[in-house]
Amino acid sequence: TLQSKLPISALRYADVLLMAAEADNEVNNGPSSNAYAWINAVRNRAGIGDLSGLDYSAFKEAVFYERRHELYGEGYSWMDLKRFNKFSLFNNVSRTLVTSIDDHLNYFPIYEVELITNPNMTQNPGWPE
């Protein structure tokens, strides 16, 4: 077998289709026929019926849940939760979480060295100073 020491990233076709559908919805302020074709291709492969007649918000929600189902366990969840502003979903779990789940997770903390280097910079909300 051949082995490479180069880092290789693999993208799933379903991820590409769902990214395209999401981007189309954002650019056009609502889904076009292409956006429906892309999301429905993923749904049809999974044996699920087509989507149609959705407005901007409903289509965005549909893309989010389609990504959750199709890409489960593949490491996309964190960035999807950030991009779709869905961290509030964690408030519905019956577990005690170490980190509070709130809007501060929409931003990464700024490294301390950056804060020291630039005294005009302040830490993002919700993160320790």
Side-chain angles (χ1 to χ4, degrees), residues 53-76:
L54 302 176
D55 65 2
Y56 167 82
S57 297
F59 191 84
K60 185 173 183 171
E61 194 79 4
V63 169
F64 174 74
Y65 282 104
E66 200 62 42
R67 290 184 63 79
R68 299 282 290 171
H69 293 134
E70 180 67 29
L71 305 171
Y72 177 80
E74 295 183 27
Y76 296 95

mmCIF file of all heavy atoms in Angstrom, residues 53-76:
data_model
loop_
_atom_site.group_PDB
_atom_site.id
_atom_site.type_symbol
_atom_site.label_atom_id
_atom_site.label_comp_id
_atom_site.label_asym_id
_atom_site.label_seq_id
_atom_site.Cartn_x
_atom_site.Cartn_y
_atom_site.Cartn_z
ATOM 1 N N GLY A 53 -41.315 25.245 -1.859
ATOM 2 C CA GLY A 53 -42.162 26.304 -1.341
ATOM 3 C C GLY A 53 -41.730 26.926 -0.028
ATOM 4 O O GLY A 53 -42.560 27.480 0.685
ATOM 5 N N LEU A 54 -40.448 26.871 0.305
ATOM 6 C CA LEU A 54 -39.975 27.431 1.569
ATOM 7 C C LEU A 54 -39.457 28.854 1.359
ATOM 8 O O LEU A 54 -38.880 29.168 0.319
ATOM 9 C CB LEU A 54 -38.851 26.573 2.154
ATOM 10 C CG LEU A 54 -39.183 25.105 2.434
ATOM 11 C CD1 LEU A 54 -37.941 24.368 2.914
ATOM 12 C CD2 LEU A 54 -40.300 24.990 3.439
ATOM 13 N N ASP A 55 -39.650 29.701 2.362
ATOM 14 C CA ASP A 55 -39.067 31.040 2.310
ATOM 15 C C ASP A 55 -37.630 30.977 2.825
ATOM 16 O O ASP A 55 -37.124 29.905 3.180
ATOM 17 C CB ASP A 55 -39.911 32.049 3.093
ATOM 18 C CG ASP A 55 -39.950 31.769 4.592
ATOM 19 O OD1 ASP A 55 -39.296 30.810 5.071
ATOM 20 O OD2 ASP A 55 -40.634 32.517 5.304
ATOM 21 N N TYR A 56 -36.969 32.130 2.882
ATOM 22 C CA TYR A 56 -35.563 32.205 3.296
ATOM 23 C C TYR A 56 -35.319 31.514 4.634
ATOM 24 O O TYR A 56 -34.447 30.657 4.756
ATOM 25 C CB TYR A 56 -35.139 33.684 3.364
ATOM 26 C CG TYR A 56 -33.830 33.894 4.078
ATOM 27 C CD1 TYR A 56 -32.628 33.705 3.422
ATOM 28 C CD2 TYR A 56 -33.803 34.271 5.421
ATOM 29 C CE1 TYR A 56 -31.421 33.896 4.088
ATOM 30 C CE2 TYR A 56 -32.606 34.464 6.081
ATOM 31 C CZ TYR A 56 -31.424 34.269 5.416
ATOM 32 O OH TYR A 56 -30.234 34.440 6.069
ATOM 33 N N SER A 57 -36.081 31.880 5.660
ATOM 34 C CA SER A 57 -35.859 31.345 7.011
ATOM 35 C C SER A 57 -36.132 29.855 7.096
ATOM 36 O O SER A 57 -35.376 29.109 7.715
ATOM 37 C CB SER A 57 -36.733 32.081 8.023
ATOM 38 O OG SER A 57 -36.374 33.430 8.077
ATOM 39 N N ALA A 58 -37.220 29.423 6.493
ATOM 40 C CA ALA A 58 -37.572 28.000 6.542
ATOM 41 C C ALA A 58 -36.548 27.159 5.789
ATOM 42 O O ALA A 58 -36.193 26.053 6.225
ATOM 43 C CB ALA A 58 -38.968 27.791 5.962
ATOM 44 N N PHE A 59 -36.038 27.675 4.673
ATOM 45 C CA PHE A 59 -35.035 26.932 3.913
ATOM 46 C C PHE A 59 -33.723 26.865 4.694
ATOM 47 O O PHE A 59 -33.074 25.821 4.732
ATOM 48 C CB PHE A 59 -34.797 27.571 2.539
ATOM 49 C CG PHE A 59 -33.981 26.716 1.619
ATOM 50 C CD1 PHE A 59 -34.570 25.717 0.870
ATOM 51 C CD2 PHE A 59 -32.612 26.899 1.508
ATOM 52 C CE1 PHE A 59 -33.817 24.908 0.024
ATOM 53 C CE2 PHE A 59 -31.848 26.108 0.671
ATOM 54 C CZ PHE A 59 -32.449 25.105 -0.069
ATOM 55 N N LYS A 60 -33.348 27.972 5.329
ATOM 56 C CA LYS A 60 -32.128 27.988 6.143
ATOM 57 C C LYS A 60 -32.237 26.952 7.257
ATOM 58 O O LYS A 60 -31.289 26.220 7.537
ATOM 59 C CB LYS A 60 -31.916 29.387 6.718
ATOM 60 C CG LYS A 60 -30.631 29.555 7.468
ATOM 61 C CD LYS A 60 -30.402 31.001 7.862
ATOM 62 C CE LYS A 60 -29.067 31.153 8.542
ATOM 63 N NZ LYS A 60 -28.704 32.557 8.752
ATOM 64 N N GLU A 61 -33.390 26.894 7.902
ATOM 65 C CA GLU A 61 -33.632 25.905 8.956
ATOM 66 C C GLU A 61 -33.553 24.483 8.394
ATOM 67 O O GLU A 61 -32.976 23.579 9.011
ATOM 68 C CB GLU A 61 -35.011 26.166 9.576
ATOM 69 C CG GLU A 61 -35.264 25.454 10.856
ATOM 70 C CD GLU A 61 -34.601 26.122 12.041
ATOM 71 O OE1 GLU A 61 -33.990 27.197 11.913
ATOM 72 O OE2 GLU A 61 -34.673 25.537 13.129
ATOM 73 N N ALA A 62 -34.101 24.285 7.210
ATOM 74 C CA ALA A 62 -34.069 22.960 6.573
ATOM 75 C C ALA A 62 -32.638 22.539 6.265
ATOM 76 O O ALA A 62 -32.264 21.372 6.469
ATOM 77 C CB ALA A 62 -34.909 22.972 5.297
ATOM 78 N N VAL A 63 -31.826 23.476 5.787
ATOM 79 C CA VAL A 63 -30.416 23.162 5.501
ATOM 80 C C VAL A 63 -29.693 22.788 6.788
ATOM 81 O O VAL A 63 -28.934 21.821 6.830
ATOM 82 C CB VAL A 63 -29.709 24.348 4.799
ATOM 83 C CG1 VAL A 63 -28.200 24.135 4.745
ATOM 84 C CG2 VAL A 63 -30.259 24.546 3.400
ATOM 85 N N PHE A 64 -29.952 23.541 7.857
ATOM 86 C CA PHE A 64 -29.313 23.241 9.137
ATOM 87 C C PHE A 64 -29.628 21.817 9.581
ATOM 88 O O PHE A 64 -28.728 21.046 9.922
ATOM 89 C CB PHE A 64 -29.756 24.235 10.218
ATOM 90 C CG PHE A 64 -29.252 23.887 11.587
ATOM 91 C CD1 PHE A 64 -27.927 24.088 11.926
ATOM 92 C CD2 PHE A 64 -30.103 23.341 12.536
ATOM 93 C CE1 PHE A 64 -27.457 23.750 13.183
ATOM 94 C CE2 PHE A 64 -29.644 23.011 13.795
ATOM 95 C CZ PHE A 64 -28.307 23.212 14.121
ATOM 96 N N TYR A 65 -30.899 21.448 9.568
ATOM 97 C CA TYR A 65 -31.279 20.106 10.024
ATOM 98 C C TYR A 65 -30.830 19.021 9.056
ATOM 99 O O TYR A 65 -30.492 17.914 9.481
ATOM 100 C CB TYR A 65 -32.773 20.041 10.324
ATOM 101 C CG TYR A 65 -33.065 20.688 11.656
ATOM 102 C CD1 TYR A 65 -33.638 21.948 11.739
ATOM 103 C CD2 TYR A 65 -32.687 20.073 12.844
ATOM 104 C CE1 TYR A 65 -33.854 22.559 12.964
ATOM 105 C CE2 TYR A 65 -32.892 20.679 14.073
ATOM 106 C CZ TYR A 65 -33.479 21.921 14.120
ATOM 107 O OH TYR A 65 -33.670 22.520 15.345
ATOM 108 N N GLU A 66 -30.778 19.340 7.778
ATOM 109 C CA GLU A 66 -30.264 18.361 6.809
ATOM 110 C C GLU A 66 -28.788 18.099 7.071
ATOM 111 O O GLU A 66 -28.330 16.956 7.023
ATOM 112 C CB GLU A 66 -30.491 18.863 5.388
ATOM 113 C CG GLU A 66 -30.439 17.782 4.347
ATOM 114 C CD GLU A 66 -31.523 16.733 4.543
ATOM 115 O OE1 GLU A 66 -32.676 17.080 4.848
ATOM 116 O OE2 GLU A 66 -31.195 15.533 4.392
ATOM 117 N N ARG A 67 -28.032 19.150 7.360
ATOM 118 C CA ARG A 67 -26.609 18.987 7.692
ATOM 119 C C ARG A 67 -26.460 18.178 8.977
ATOM 120 O O ARG A 67 -25.573 17.333 9.086
ATOM 121 C CB ARG A 67 -25.918 20.348 7.839
ATOM 122 C CG ARG A 67 -25.757 21.095 6.531
ATOM 123 C CD ARG A 67 -24.992 22.390 6.701
ATOM 124 N NE ARG A 67 -23.628 22.169 7.165
ATOM 125 C CZ ARG A 67 -22.614 21.785 6.403
ATOM 126 N NH1 ARG A 67 -22.797 21.590 5.112
ATOM 127 N NH2 ARG A 67 -21.418 21.596 6.912
ATOM 128 N N ARG A 68 -27.300 18.420 9.966
ATOM 129 C CA ARG A 68 -27.230 17.681 11.235
ATOM 130 C C ARG A 68 -27.438 16.193 11.011
ATOM 131 O O ARG A 68 -26.772 15.361 11.623
ATOM 132 C CB ARG A 68 -28.284 18.191 12.227
ATOM 133 C CG ARG A 68 -28.158 19.635 12.617
ATOM 134 C CD ARG A 68 -27.108 19.901 13.621
ATOM 135 N NE ARG A 68 -27.491 19.370 14.914
ATOM 136 C CZ ARG A 68 -26.677 19.317 15.942
ATOM 137 N NH1 ARG A 68 -25.465 19.774 15.849
ATOM 138 N NH2 ARG A 68 -27.083 18.820 17.080
ATOM 139 N N HIS A 69 -28.378 15.860 10.133
ATOM 140 C CA HIS A 69 -28.667 14.441 9.885
ATOM 141 C C HIS A 69 -27.627 13.803 8.972
ATOM 142 O O HIS A 69 -27.145 12.709 9.232
ATOM 143 C CB HIS A 69 -30.060 14.282 9.263
ATOM 144 C CG HIS A 69 -31.157 14.650 10.201
ATOM 145 N ND1 HIS A 69 -32.222 15.436 9.839
ATOM 146 C CD2 HIS A 69 -31.358 14.365 11.494
ATOM 147 C CE1 HIS A 69 -33.020 15.608 10.872
ATOM 148 N NE2 HIS A 69 -32.510 14.961 11.891
ATOM 149 N N GLU A 70 -27.307 14.475 7.881
ATOM 150 C CA GLU A 70 -26.414 13.897 6.872
ATOM 151 C C GLU A 70 -24.967 13.804 7.349
ATOM 152 O O GLU A 70 -24.276 12.845 7.046
ATOM 153 C CB GLU A 70 -26.486 14.729 5.584
ATOM 154 C CG GLU A 70 -25.610 14.230 4.470
ATOM 155 C CD GLU A 70 -26.030 12.888 3.902
ATOM 156 O OE1 GLU A 70 -27.228 12.565 3.941
ATOM 157 O OE2 GLU A 70 -25.139 12.149 3.436
ATOM 158 N N LEU A 71 -24.501 14.791 8.089
ATOM 159 C CA LEU A 71 -23.091 14.870 8.460
ATOM 160 C C LEU A 71 -22.850 14.566 9.930
ATOM 161 O O LEU A 71 -21.817 14.926 10.495
ATOM 162 C CB LEU A 71 -22.555 16.264 8.109
ATOM 163 C CG LEU A 71 -22.751 16.680 6.649
ATOM 164 C CD1 LEU A 71 -22.396 18.142 6.441
ATOM 165 C CD2 LEU A 71 -21.971 15.783 5.713
ATOM 166 N N TYR A 72 -23.783 13.871 10.556
ATOM 167 C CA TYR A 72 -23.696 13.553 11.984
ATOM 168 C C TYR A 72 -22.382 12.844 12.303
ATOM 169 O O TYR A 72 -21.991 11.890 11.632
ATOM 170 C CB TYR A 72 -24.873 12.658 12.395
ATOM 171 C CG TYR A 72 -24.814 12.230 13.836
ATOM 172 C CD1 TYR A 72 -25.222 13.087 14.839
ATOM 173 C CD2 TYR A 72 -24.320 10.982 14.185
ATOM 174 C CE1 TYR A 72 -25.158 12.704 16.173
ATOM 175 C CE2 TYR A 72 -24.252 10.586 15.506
ATOM 176 C CZ TYR A 72 -24.666 11.459 16.496
ATOM 177 O OH TYR A 72 -24.589 11.082 17.808
ATOM 178 N N GLY A 73 -21.686 13.340 13.316
ATOM 179 C CA GLY A 73 -20.473 12.681 13.788
ATOM 180 C C GLY A 73 -19.246 12.901 12.933
ATOM 181 O O GLY A 73 -18.222 12.260 13.140
ATOM 182 N N GLU A 74 -19.324 13.806 11.956
ATOM 183 C CA GLU A 74 -18.196 14.006 11.051
ATOM 184 C C GLU A 74 -17.408 15.287 11.345
ATOM 185 O O GLU A 74 -16.562 15.685 10.565
ATOM 186 C CB GLU A 74 -18.685 13.998 9.602
ATOM 187 C CG GLU A 74 -19.249 12.651 9.209
ATOM 188 C CD GLU A 74 -19.676 12.584 7.760
ATOM 189 O OE1 GLU A 74 -19.125 13.325 6.933
ATOM 190 O OE2 GLU A 74 -20.564 11.778 7.454
ATOM 191 N N GLY A 75 -17.708 15.928 12.472
ATOM 192 C CA GLY A 75 -16.930 17.080 12.890
ATOM 193 C C GLY A 75 -17.398 18.425 12.359
ATOM 194 O O GLY A 75 -16.665 19.405 12.440
ATOM 195 N N TYR A 76 -18.595 18.493 11.823
ATOM 196 C CA TYR A 76 -19.107 19.750 11.285
ATOM 197 C C TYR A 76 -19.988 20.505 12.284
ATOM 198 O O TYR A 76 -20.290 21.672 12.082
ATOM 199 C CB TYR A 76 -19.941 19.507 10.020
ATOM 200 C CG TYR A 76 -19.152 18.935 8.872
ATOM 201 C CD1 TYR A 76 -19.125 17.564 8.644
ATOM 202 C CD2 TYR A 76 -18.434 19.764 8.024
ATOM 203 C CE1 TYR A 76 -18.400 17.040 7.583
ATOM 204 C CE2 TYR A 76 -17.713 19.249 6.973
ATOM 205 C CZ TYR A 76 -17.701 17.883 6.755
ATOM 206 O OH TYR A 76 -16.987 17.372 5.717
#
